[in-house]
Amino acid sequence: MCGIVGYIGQKDTTDILLSGLEKLEYRGYDSAGIAVRNADGVHVSKVKGRIAALREAVNEDVHATMGIGHTRWATHGAPSRENAHPHQSSTERFTIVHNGVIENYMDIRNQYLQDVELQSETDTEIIVQLIEVLYNELNDVAAAFRKAVELLTGSYAIALIDSEDSETIFVAKNKSPLLVGLGDGFNMVASDSMAALHVTDQFLELMDKETVILRRGEVEIIDPDGQQVTREPFKAEIDATDIEKGTYPHFMLKEIDEQPFVIRKIIQEYQNKNDEIKLDPQIREAMKTCDRIYIIAAGTSYHAGLLGKQFIEKLANIPVEVHVASEFSYNMPLLSEKPLFVYISQSGETADSRSVLVQTKKLGHPALTITNVPGSTLSREADYTMHLHAGPEIAVASTKAYTAQMAVLAILAVDTARAKGIELDFEPMQELGIVANAMEALTDQKEDLEELARDYLSVTRNCFFIGRGIDYYVGLEGSLKLKEISYIQAEGFAGGELKHGTIALIEEGTPVIALATQENVNYSIRGNVQEVEARGANSMIISMKGLDKEGDAFVIPHVHDLLTPLVSVVPFQLISYYAALHRDCDVDKPRNLAKSVTVE
């Protein structure tokens, strides 16, 4: 979940590294650091805190044309300057940055580093100290680097510089994402193409257990068998302006506002000139012939999967199970005879989901990844991919990727139903167009939603979201949004479950937000609201036009019943945003969280 960047070329490297790290801060921001090498040696600057603090700490008088940088989400060791990367070997000859988790770091320490005094609590320092020990035995840096990497168990994206070598950055990858950026007279390495877009749009993918020798004019990729690999570069299809806030105060608000445009983009990408669904025929066949679908996801993507289950089962009549990736990986249920696995991930790098994918591939089961990042690990390793076309999502709290996931799942469900010969009175592109218009209307009502956030959530310690049917699943996402950026203890519950324990938590003034968009349960959920009000709750009902009643706090535009989650979640997103804003929270970078969870 950390981010790394490295550069070797002709230009002064400090600002290139810092600019790259600023684009990687979504991956972690507990601490940050850079190391640059010039004729005087290696100069390390690192701080507890964010890139802005690192910029202030860097010595502007130090000029160099190669270096490495890191922004950290703490795994081993608390956030501190001592645990911040880069880490150096005992003699300070070798300097390293690392993203991932080394599972056998204690074994390495006990076997190889008994006489080495460690300066940090991190697993990363074990790697750089090991490289120095092996170098003292082998007297060859490249050989020591490769042998050290072979001894590691776990995930890693590594960049290493040698104080006695001005021409090389040593790179290695396993499980953690890493790309090489190519330029004229320079080369880069980065966890994400966004970290290098300010200097190049040409990249090389790296595969697991490959090592790389990075020089100014050369990239040498070596596979696990020691053979050199040649690979064609690809162009990153991202506009650098897409990863800037522009006039918005926060990325989250910008990304909420972008949702109508994302839905229209999805319509455009998944519709052919005859207004039919455009989909890879192999995906269509895999969906049509499977006997059960297993959706694997985490966090917000898991909530999208719960709604995807509703789409697929109701429209295509295929049974669907939705599993939390981290649990499935270690507790796989009995599988059907012809399963299809669907992996949902904004980044395409979610480590828990990848762990499941590795297991199911060994079993020979087909896999479809639904992701926002072409070329990501889950996309590359699955049999099929459906792209979200949402553009870069920078804020830690996912908004536009979530609604894009639901839109793509709805299209997939309709296409599968038609492939099976099921007649539907449901035109997905037409209905999604209505959804986009409804989203736009809601984003124009920010002031009303800000007032609700202020009235209900400015000082509260906790909050409950309730709903029935698909509204319950949207409530889960609403509660997640609120808790992750405002730090309010928020939970989502099925309305009927309140009486089975949860209602004991209702006190005078406790905010309860109820969603009422489904006609068949409209009166039931309103009954649940009366129950909590009788116990002193401060209730807020968000309903859909046509089902609204006098006294409802907010009414969303009418859309197709099945697609209401794409619209009803928008007020939750904005209420959460304004609640966090009024509580002086860091909206885009909430504490203890990172955007891309690349460790298990």
Side-chain angles (χ1 to χ4, degrees):
M1 290 159 70
C2 307
I4 73 172
V5 63
Y7 172 88
I8 182 167
Q10 309 300 326
K11 297 181 179 179
D12 185 69
T13 191
T14 298
D15 192 62
I16 293 173
L17 295 177
L18 291 173
S19 296
L21 290 177
E22 286 170 343
K23 301 301 186 292
L24 291 175
E25 231 178 354
Y26 73 92
R27 302 180 70 88
Y29 33 85
D30 293 333
S31 58
I34 64 169
V36 298
R37 186 202 179 282
N38 62 14
D40 299 327
V42 174
H43 306 265
V44 176
S45 302
K46 56 184 184 176
V47 298
K48 177 186 176 182
R50 303 190 176 176
I51 310 305
L54 179 61
R55 277 194 179 275
E56 294 179 3
V58 167
N59 185 345
E60 296 180 357
D61 295 329
V62 175
H63 299 283
T65 56
M66 67 177 291
I68 52 178
H70 187 273
T71 182
R72 182 174 187 245
W73 186 86
T75 52
H76 293 74
S80 67
R81 187 185 183 282
E82 292 73 25
N83 290 329
H85 301 215
H87 289 286
Q88 293 188 291
S89 61
S90 296
T91 65
E92 299 185 354
R93 173 166 178 176
F94 300 107
T95 306
I96 197 171
V97 292
H98 162 234
N99 169 35
V101 174
I102 305 306
E103 297 168 3
N104 64 333
Y105 78 102
M106 286 301 296
D107 295 335
I108 291 173
R109 177 178 181 176
N110 293 335
Q111 183 173 350
Y112 294 93
L113 306 177
Q114 292 179 343
D115 299 327
V116 176
E117 183 178 349
L118 300 178
Q119 304 302 311
S120 75
E121 305 169 278
T122 69
D123 54 342
T124 300
E125 188 185 350
I126 296 294
I127 306 172
V128 73
Q129 300 288 11
L130 174 63
I131 290 168
E132 183 161 273
V133 167
L134 294 174
Y135 170 75
N136 291 335
E137 294 177 4
L138 302 172
N139 200 33
D140 183 316
V141 177
F145 182 75
R146 284 195 293 270
K147 183 173 181 180
V149 167
E150 289 171 2
L151 292 171
L152 302 180
T153 300
S155 58
Y156 53 79
I158 296 169
L160 176 96
I161 58 175
D162 175 3
S163 64
E164 297 186 15
D165 184 350
S166 64
E167 301 299 326
T168 311
I169 298 177
F170 299 89
V171 175
K173 176 205 181 301
N174 186 48
K175 298 183 181 178
S176 296
L178 200 61
L179 297 170
V180 169
L182 306 176
D184 184 8
F186 71 90
N187 285 302
M188 294 189 68
V189 61
S191 297
D192 190 310
S193 62
M194 290 190 293
L197 276 179
H198 56 301
V199 290
T200 184
D201 62 0
Q202 297 295 313
F203 294 91
L204 288 173
E205 292 182 12
L206 299 182
M207 305 303 175
D208 284 352
K209 297 190 177 180
E210 290 181 338
T211 56
V212 181
I213 304 298
L214 202 67
R215 300 187 177 92
R216 286 171 175 81
E218 180 185 11
V219 177
E220 183 181 348
I221 303 174
I222 302 161
D223 70 16
D225 297 323
Q227 301 300 309
Q228 191 164 339
V229 176
T230 58
R231 188 170 294 138
E232 288 298 312
F234 69 91
K235 181 178 180 180
E237 300 292 341
I238 302 175
D239 189 331
T241 59
D242 288 343
I243 56 177
E244 302 296 337
K245 284 186 294 195
T247 59
Y248 283 89
H250 300 97
F251 279 109
M252 184 178 179
L253 189 61
K254 174 176 180 278
E255 289 157 7
I256 291 171
D257 275 1
E258 287 174 343
Q259 289 177 114
F261 307 103
V262 171
I263 299 302
R264 291 170 185 139
K265 175 70 171 175
I266 289 169
I267 294 170
Q268 176 185 343
E269 292 292 336
Y270 284 99
Q271 185 172 251
N272 63 23
K273 60 184 180 181
N274 297 320
D275 295 334
E276 300 166 333
I277 293 177
K278 182 172 62 177
L279 192 67
D280 182 344
Q282 291 182 303
I283 296 176
R284 184 174 292 132
E285 185 65 19
M287 289 287 293
K288 180 181 175 182
T289 57
C290 71
D291 64 359
R292 186 172 293 263
I293 293 169
Y294 296 82
I295 294 178
I296 309 297
T300 285
S301 296
Y302 172 75
H303 296 158
L306 292 172
L307 290 157
K309 169 184 168 72
Q310 301 300 308
F311 300 158
I312 295 168
E313 289 188 342
K314 284 181 167 59
L315 297 175
N317 294 334
I318 300 174
V320 180
E321 295 182 17
V322 187
H323 293 270
V324 175
S326 57
E327 288 297 311
F328 192 99
S329 180
Y330 298 100
N331 189 24
M332 187 179 295
L334 290 174
L335 302 178
S336 64
E337 291 186 7
K338 297 179 66 179
L340 172 65
F341 281 82
V342 177
Y343 297 87
I344 308 176
S345 170
Q346 188 282 139
S347 68
E349 301 291 351
T350 308
D352 292 318
S353 294
R354 184 178 186 269
S355 177
V356 179
L357 176 58
V358 170
Q359 293 179 53
T360 57
K361 281 180 69 174
K362 288 180 181 177
L363 295 173
H365 301 315
L368 163 65
T369 289
I370 298 175
T371 182
N372 199 31
V373 184
S376 58
T377 302
L378 287 172
S379 174
R380 198 170 58 241
E381 296 184 354
D383 300 281
Y384 323 108
T385 296
M386 293 181 72
H387 294 143
L388 299 179
H389 301 286
E393 188 177 66
I394 309 300
V396 166
S398 179
T399 52
K400 64 177 181 176
Y402 170 70
T403 48
Q405 288 167 348
M406 288 191 287
V408 168
L409 284 163
I411 290 170
L412 180 64
V414 171
D415 184 83
T416 304
R418 289 174 175 170
K420 293 177 66 177
I422 299 172
E423 291 190 15
L424 301 174
D425 59 349
F426 185 85
E427 291 297 332
M429 303 313 184
Q430 179 181 337
E431 297 295 345
L432 285 172
I434 296 170
V435 163
N437 294 338
M439 285 176 159
E440 208 157 41
L442 290 172
T443 57
D444 288 339
Q445 298 180 65
K446 292 185 180 68
E447 291 182 1
D448 295 338
L449 293 164
E450 181 176 10
E451 185 175 347
L452 289 175
R454 184 186 296 109
D455 292 346
Y456 284 83
L457 301 171
S458 289
V459 296
T460 188
R461 181 176 60 86
N462 54 13
C463 177
F464 297 103
F465 290 72
I466 61 172
R468 286 175 176 259
I470 60 178
D471 286 345
Y472 161 49
Y473 300 135
V474 181
L476 293 176
E477 175 61 14
S479 69
L480 177 59
K481 284 287 120 354
L482 185 62
K483 76 176 71 169
E484 63 186 345
I485 64 171
S486 74
Y487 317 141
I488 294 170
Q489 176 63 44
E491 302 297 338
F493 291 96
E497 286 297 294
L498 281 170
K499 295 184 288 293
H500 298 279
T502 307
I503 203 166
L505 300 175
I506 301 298
E507 301 173 345
E508 190 68 33
T510 300
V512 175
I513 303 175
L515 192 56
T517 74
Q518 304 297 298
E519 185 174 8
N520 63 326
V521 292
N522 189 31
Y523 288 107
S524 298
I525 194 64
R526 291 179 183 277
N528 297 138
V529 171
Q530 291 177 346
E531 291 166 355
V532 295
E533 285 179 345
R535 275 85 181 168
N538 185 20
S539 66
M540 175 203 306
I541 297 179
I542 296 177
S543 59
M544 186 171 69
K545 189 175 177 62
L547 299 177
D548 54 306
K549 304 290 183 183
E550 184 178 354
D552 290 355
F554 192 84
V555 180
I556 67 171
H558 183 272
V559 297
H560 191 284
D561 287 354
L562 206 56
L563 297 183
T564 55
L566 284 86
V567 178
S568 60
V569 76
V570 176
F572 287 171
Q573 294 169 345
L574 285 165
I575 287 170
S576 299
Y577 170 81
Y578 287 114
L581 204 62
H582 291 308
R583 295 165 74 99
D584 294 324
C585 300
D586 190 333
V587 173
D588 285 338
K589 300 183 179 71
R591 67 189 181 200
N592 302 333
L593 298 179
K595 180 70 175 175
S596 180
V597 183
T598 58
V599 295
E600 293 182 36

